[in-house]
Amino acid sequence: MSAVRAAKRALRTEIKRRVVALSEAEKQRQSLVVSQKLFGQPQYVASQHIAVFLSMHDEVCTEDIIKDAFHRGKTCFIPRYHRNSNHMDMLKLESLQDIETLPVTTWNIRQPADSDDSRDEALDVGGLDLILMPGLGFDKSGRRLGRGKGFYDTYLNRCIQHPRGKPYTIGLAFKEQLCEEIPVDSNDVLIDKVLYEDNE
């Protein structure tokens, strides 16, 4: 177990180093490519209820994706992380403008305030069709390296127990975040697909 933890820690350091080396223009360029790929995915086109993360500076930018989802009339849910545990909720985003009203956390991401209990949680209103997954690293077999808190794996386990079952999961990645093989343990939930700029 500790060997896996150590391997993950080393890989996180390596991937962060690769992503830090990317210019803002390159991150924007790759984000656009990945967004366009997503818009052509049948699972995205068919989905009505989607969860999408509000991207940090070292993640594929999701701004265009959120705009597109609202344009297509989808219902969007965004994460609210609980700092002192691995608990996360997916709360309904009312509009693009709604994002600007959200407080900024110490992690420098916007999310609904802990005191905001007016928003629907996805699993309370019928579940999700699709979750767009952030991550530090991915491999082509659907293994994902998160930031070590376990938020998404814990949430996916809640989804699995929901009557609707596990939603389709798509990781969004810069090609620098692709790895030969991500070390995993029994708590890690595999994702269905990873989108990145490939050499095709």
Side-chain angles (χ1 to χ4, degrees):
M1 184 64 181
S2 56
V4 170
R5 259 205 305 271
K8 285 184 175 185
R9 199 175 304 125
L11 198 52
R12 280 190 189 101
T13 304
E14 162 64 19
I15 296 167
K16 281 178 182 171
R17 189 183 59 71
R18 284 189 229 158
V19 174
V20 160
L22 292 176
S23 68
E24 285 307 311
E26 176 61 13
K27 286 191 278 192
Q28 281 298 334
R29 189 190 67 75
Q30 285 196 43
S31 294
L32 190 61
V33 171
V34 171
S35 299
Q36 292 300 329
K37 282 193 166 209
L38 176 70
F39 300 156
Q41 297 293 314
Q43 297 85 1
Y44 175 75
V45 174
S47 66
Q48 275 307 301
H49 294 86
I50 76 166
V52 56
F53 58 98
L54 299 182
S55 46
M56 294 199 282
H57 64 91
D58 59 353
E59 296 170 335
V60 166
C61 179
T62 55
E63 194 177 323
D64 288 345
I65 295 169
I66 295 169
K67 281 180 187 163
D68 184 82
F70 277 117
H71 180 68
R72 297 191 198 208
K74 299 180 187 298
T75 305
C76 288
F77 296 84
I78 55 169
R80 178 170 68 190
Y81 307 98
H82 291 256
R83 272 202 75 82
N84 301 321
S85 72
N86 61 4
H87 185 83
M88 174 178 78
D89 289 312
M90 287 292 182
L91 301 180
K92 187 177 177 187
L93 188 65
E94 297 300 337
S95 65
L96 273 176
Q97 294 70 33
D98 189 15
I99 296 173
E100 299 307 314
T101 70
L102 300 174
V104 177
T105 68
T106 49
W107 293 330
N108 208 26
I109 45 176
R110 290 183 182 275
Q111 69 172 30
D114 290 345
S115 58
D116 183 351
D117 53 11
S118 63
R119 295 172 187 270
D120 291 335
E121 207 291 325
L123 297 181
D124 295 338
V125 288
L128 290 161
D129 303 315
L130 173 67
I131 299 182
L132 300 179
M133 305 278 290
L136 274 179
F138 302 89
D139 68 21
K140 291 175 184 176
S141 304
R143 301 184 191 95
R144 171 184 161 273
L145 181 69
R147 293 176 189 270
K149 297 275 190 188
F151 288 118
Y152 275 85
D153 293 317
T154 305
Y155 193 79
L156 284 171
N157 279 311
R158 278 170 64 197
C159 292
I160 288 164
Q161 288 155 23
H162 188 272
R164 191 163 184 167
K166 179 178 170 286
Y168 197 81
T169 48
I170 297 179
L172 306 178
F174 299 122
K175 58 180 189 277
E176 287 75 12
Q177 293 176 293
L178 260 285
C179 301
E180 201 57 45
E181 188 176 338
I182 301 277
V184 291
D185 58 39
S186 58
N187 296 322
D188 293 314
V189 181
L190 294 187
I191 59 177
D192 295 304
K193 184 175 280 189
V194 182
L195 295 183
Y196 57 97
E197 181 186 43
D198 52 27
N199 300 324
E200 289 172 20

